[in-house]
Amino acid sequence: MSGLLGARTCPGPGEASDLKSPLGAKFREPLTEGRFQQLFGDAEQEPELPAEARLTRLWRWRARACSGPGAWRLLLARLPPLRWLPRYRWRAWLLGDAVAGVTVGIVHVPQGMAFALLTSVPPVFGLYTSFFPVLIYTLLGTGRHLSTGTFAVLSLMTGSAVERLVPEPLGRNLSGIEREQLDAQRVGAAAAVAFGSGALMLGMFALQLGVLATFLSEPVVKALTSGAALHVLVSQLPSLLGLPLPRQIGCFALFKTLAAVLMALPRSSPAELTISALSLALLLPVKELNVRFRDRLPTPIPGEIVMVLLASVLCFTSSLDTRYNVQIVGLLPGGFPQPLLPNLAALPRILADSLPMALVTFAVSASLASIYADKYSYTIDSNQELLAHGVSNLISSLFSCFPNSATLATTSLLVDAGGNTQLAGLFSCAIVLSVLLWLGPFFYYLPKAVLACINISSMRQMFFQMQELPQLWRISRVDFAVWMVTWVAVVTLSVDLGLAIGVVFSMMTVVCRTQRVRCLALGLAEGTELYRPLRENHKLLQVPGLCILSYPTPLYFGTRGQFRHNLEWHLGLGEGGKETPKTDGPPDAVAEPVRVVVLDCSGVTFADAAGAREVVQLASRCQDAGIHLLLAHCNVSVLGTLTQAGLLDRVTPEQLFVSVQDAAAHALERLEHTGPKTCTVWV
């Protein structure tokens, strides 16, 4: 029921109150900001030091940091194994780390070669990227359960950059030497992208910008990975069908690839189509079994390595490469590549590609590390993660590796297999190292169509993220819109442009929501000291002549107009000041002129110069209209900004209160002298 129940005369001094309300009792004197600082503030604040003294203190602090204990603390912070290795539980954790590391290493071998094809470089460079970054992250990373290496989204983004920087000749009829030269140029371009990405992350670490990961919200990251998974699927169709088609890059590449595949479909290879169908028929059910029976299986079934071995044996025994022209991996060079500095002259051209890759690397890795850190009750250092991934990409680029990051598939595999610490990465590196040194020739006859199937099957978790959309629609329509806009942009345009559009749209939704916030009129809940919005279903008390307003959003250039409009609406400060103040009560209620207004600033987290000047103008207009303005619950930052804008030229320090309750009590005392107070009760 909503309506005016009645008006009651509030008791004067010495009278008993017929309402269970603090209005009839006085517990203490209202506290202004100045009085609160006198009573509870730090009376012995240190005086501000001159510039020379501050410089001397800074040099002393740096000298202490360069001392022996300071250097040891810095070493502990930058080399996490020095902290967790002395506390390592060898009997309890070693077996789990060994099993998990070997399991992940077995998956890294075929997956690394597969993602190398996605990057447009020879398969062996995927093995390098599965070795060096994992080793470096083990030494520098803080995520105990994080598995790094090749990542499909980054491989796709790198492949697009490589194809743009080093396009394949139109004729596509290259000799062996020309093919080697083209591959070498593409490897150099991919390494340069990794170098640029690592350098950018190291720059972010130097500036302590780990907080930037928060700008990639969860809907943006999930939509990005889901859309990229569709790009991966479509880009692998030519390899599945045995069609020698050039890779499409740029905007609308997905649709261009689909059109090219449909036009060339009659020329598809029956042998490679059969290999692809059989590979998917084995890989997809094994993936499903690993997910459904993860609690019962001692270790996940290594479907990828089984498929690789079966396909290699089948191709070798049936001579599929010579009889049916099936594309195979060929010889994997043994050992390691010679360290080589990437072409630094190409860095300006790849900066636009390296920046989104650096953001995706850090956002995906930091979010994965945070998920498992919360699950297993430990903490991660976001800035140290920037250092770990920056050094990982920078150093590994010297060994011809392409960009890398943490991956969802191998991280969940490591956890399911019983991994406990970063030591599992060393066992994973041992498996990849054995392939690089001794087992490489066994993959000579591996069909590339199998690697394309591994790429597609590894996208399973990313595709299933779309199942969360109905729940996201119920929780937040805005987040749903962010998800859909990002996904559509990624699919129709490209991964990097989709990421940029998703981030911009996500930030725009935040800005728009701050501009749509309404200024709320508050009333006192009967029997309490709580002030609640008058439109809510509570029995609330409202004193005629007193208006208590709450503005629950930052006050900046984008919200100053809405702030002015809301205050004019509530206080009747229209053109010429002749408007009647509005009420949030029933439509038949008579609104009395406002004599005292309390502005609750507890929701104003910050104010810029434009917003501060708007408050100063409000104080001036209230003064001209005969309205006594009181400000309550301003934080230190907002109060400092308002003071610098000249607020104290319009109001006195006695009009600044620490809480709404104190400001309202002062307002009631001020209204006492104008006659009996009529408390209007709304329900």
Side-chain angles (χ1 to χ4, degrees):
M1 181 181 68
S2 176
L4 178 62
L5 293 186
R8 305 180 183 181
T9 302
C10 293
E15 299 181 18
S17 174
D18 60 342
L19 291 176
K20 298 178 181 179
S21 169
L23 282 174
K26 185 176 181 180
F27 296 105
R28 58 172 170 79
E29 292 292 333
L31 286 177
T32 63
E33 289 283 353
R35 181 60 177 161
F36 184 85
Q37 290 298 326
Q38 291 178 1
L39 294 175
F40 304 103
D42 188 3
E44 298 182 358
Q45 294 182 354
E46 294 185 6
E48 186 176 356
L49 298 176
E52 294 182 359
R54 291 199 302 269
L55 186 60
T56 303
R57 176 177 292 185
L58 177 62
W59 278 111
R60 288 177 179 175
W61 178 82
R62 290 184 176 179
R64 286 196 302 269
C66 295
S67 63
W72 177 247
R73 286 193 299 269
L74 180 63
L75 200 61
L76 286 176
R78 298 300 168 234
L79 287 177
L82 296 179
R83 299 197 305 268
W84 59 262
L85 200 55
R87 299 193 298 268
Y88 189 83
R89 302 176 187 175
W90 294 95
R91 292 185 178 180
W93 290 350
L94 183 59
L95 180 61
D97 283 340
V99 173
V102 170
T103 303
V104 172
I106 291 174
V107 173
H108 268 316
V109 173
Q111 188 170 283
M113 292 189 292
F115 289 166
L117 296 183
L118 202 59
T119 316
S120 298
V121 297
V124 69
F125 294 94
L127 297 179
Y128 300 151
T129 311
S130 300
F131 177 79
F132 290 104
V134 177
L135 183 62
I136 296 172
Y137 185 83
T138 301
L139 300 177
L140 298 176
T142 59
R144 286 167 42 188
H145 299 85
L146 209 63
S147 174
T148 59
T150 56
F151 182 36
V153 177
L154 287 180
S155 297
L156 182 69
M157 297 172 70
T158 307
S160 299
V162 168
E163 293 281 349
R164 178 175 55 82
L165 295 171
V166 188
E168 188 166 349
L170 296 178
R172 296 181 59 88
N173 295 322
L174 302 178
S175 64
I177 298 178
E178 291 175 335
R179 172 58 63 181
E180 290 180 2
Q181 292 175 348
L182 179 66
D183 289 341
Q185 292 177 2
R186 289 186 167 181
V187 168
V193 173
F195 186 92
S197 178
L200 286 173
M201 282 188 279
L202 288 180
M204 293 165 62
F205 164 74
L207 298 175
Q208 299 291 288
L209 296 179
V211 70
L212 286 180
T214 58
F215 290 101
L216 291 178
S217 63
E218 182 178 341
V220 171
V221 173
K222 290 189 173 182
L224 173 73
T225 53
S226 296
L230 190 58
H231 275 280
V232 171
L233 172 63
V234 173
S235 67
Q236 297 304 293
L237 289 180
S239 298
L240 293 179
L241 302 174
L243 297 173
L245 298 177
R247 183 168 179 171
Q248 303 291 335
I249 59 174
C251 296
F252 311 107
L254 185 143
F255 304 103
K256 295 176 183 177
T257 304
L258 281 177
V261 168
L262 291 177
M263 294 179 62
L265 196 59
R267 304 197 307 269
S268 59
S269 170
E272 296 195 78
L273 181 59
T274 303
I275 293 174
S276 301
L278 294 176
S279 300
L280 290 175
L282 174 65
L283 290 172
L284 294 179
V286 169
K287 290 279 187 181
E288 189 66 26
L289 288 175
N290 285 335
V291 172
R292 291 196 177 187
F293 300 101
R294 66 172 62 185
D295 297 330
R296 301 181 186 180
L297 293 173
T299 183
I301 303 173
E304 290 88 350
I305 198 67
V306 172
M307 189 66 247
V308 164
L309 295 176
L310 290 178
S312 299
V313 171
L314 177 63
C315 185
F316 172 71
T317 56
S318 303
S319 302
L320 297 180
D321 57 324
T322 56
R323 295 173 59 186
Y324 299 102
N325 198 25
V326 172
Q327 297 295 313
I328 60 175
V329 169
L331 180 64
L332 294 178
F336 295 107
Q338 182 179 359
L340 182 65
L341 187 67
N343 184 13
L344 299 182
L347 286 180
R349 291 191 298 160
I350 64 167
L351 187 60
D353 301 300
S354 297
L355 180 59
M357 292 185 200
L359 294 177
V360 170
T361 297
F362 178 56
V364 172
S365 302
S367 61
L368 273 178
S370 299
I371 290 172
Y372 287 99
D374 294 340
K375 183 177 181 180
Y376 293 98
S377 303
Y378 63 91
T379 59
I380 64 166
D381 184 351
S382 59
N383 286 304
Q384 179 66 21
E385 289 295 298
L386 268 176
L387 174 66
H389 291 289
V391 173
S392 174
N393 278 272
L394 190 69
I395 299 299
S396 62
S397 69
L398 304 180
F399 295 91
S400 303
C401 296
F402 49 85
N404 58 87
S405 73
T407 62
L408 177 60
T410 55
T411 298
S412 61
L413 180 64
L414 185 143
V415 174
D416 293 340
N420 298 289
T421 65
Q422 297 94 317
L423 194 63
L426 296 182
F427 293 98
S428 174
C429 290
I431 298 298
V432 179
L433 180 63
S434 64
V435 174
L436 287 171
L437 296 181
W438 304 294
L439 303 179
F442 290 97
F443 299 96
Y444 183 93
Y445 289 97
L446 175 62
K448 291 185 177 181
V450 175
L451 297 180
C453 294
I454 293 175
N455 278 332
I456 293 174
S457 63
S458 64
M459 299 294 103
R460 176 186 177 279
Q461 289 177 293
M462 297 183 186
F463 281 124
F464 281 178
Q465 289 179 142
M466 301 187 72
Q467 294 178 343
E468 302 175 6
L469 285 178
Q471 182 184 13
L472 189 62
W473 172 264
R474 293 190 296 268
I475 295 174
S476 173
R477 306 289 174 85
V478 175
D479 286 345
F480 180 87
V482 171
W483 203 104
M484 292 304 301
V485 167
T486 305
W487 187 85
V488 171
V490 169
V491 170
T492 56
L493 299 178
S494 62
V495 176
D496 48 356
L497 286 179
L499 172 63
I501 292 174
V503 171
V504 171
F505 184 77
S506 177
M507 300 303 296
M508 285 178 58
T509 60
V510 176
V511 174
C512 291
R513 277 184 282 185
T514 62
Q515 293 180 322
R516 297 181 61 183
V517 173
R518 294 191 58 187
C519 189
L520 303 175
L522 306 182
L524 181 66
E526 184 179 359
T528 70
E529 288 187 349
L530 302 177
Y531 287 85
R532 305 292 294 175
L534 289 175
R535 291 184 179 274
E536 295 188 4
N537 190 19
H538 297 281
K539 184 179 289 187
L540 302 174
L541 307 178
Q542 185 181 22
V543 178
L546 172 61
C547 183
I548 304 176
L549 301 175
S550 175
Y551 192 70
T553 192
L555 188 55
Y556 64 104
F557 65 92
T559 59
R560 59 176 296 188
Q562 186 72 11
F563 174 79
R564 184 193 312 118
H565 174 75
N566 282 329
L567 268 294
E568 289 177 351
W569 190 88
H570 282 282
L571 303 180
L573 297 176
E575 292 293 333
K578 298 180 180 180
E579 288 189 7
T580 303
K582 306 300 186 297
T583 176
D584 283 337
D588 57 345
V590 178
E592 297 192 11
V594 176
R595 287 170 287 173
V596 181
V597 57
V598 177
L599 184 58
D600 177 18
C601 300
S602 58
V604 182
T605 55
F606 70 89
D608 66 356
R613 284 194 291 267
E614 195 65 45
V615 176
V616 174
Q617 292 176 10
L618 170 67
S620 178
R621 296 178 66 183
C622 287
Q623 190 176 30
D624 296 339
I627 299 175
H628 191 61
L629 174 65
L630 306 177
L631 300 182
H633 215 296
C634 292
N635 64 46
V636 177
S637 173
V638 172
L639 192 58
T641 305
L642 295 179
T643 302
Q644 293 296 326
L647 178 65
L648 294 182
D649 296 336
R650 299 291 185 268
V651 301
T652 64
E654 286 72 24
Q655 292 174 250
L656 308 177
F657 290 86
V658 297
S659 69
V660 176
Q661 288 81 3
D662 290 280
H666 174 79
L668 292 174
E669 291 179 358
R670 184 180 180 86
L671 292 174
E672 277 182 351
H673 307 290
T674 61
K677 299 187 294 295
T678 301
C679 302
T680 307
V681 184
W682 309 98
V683 226

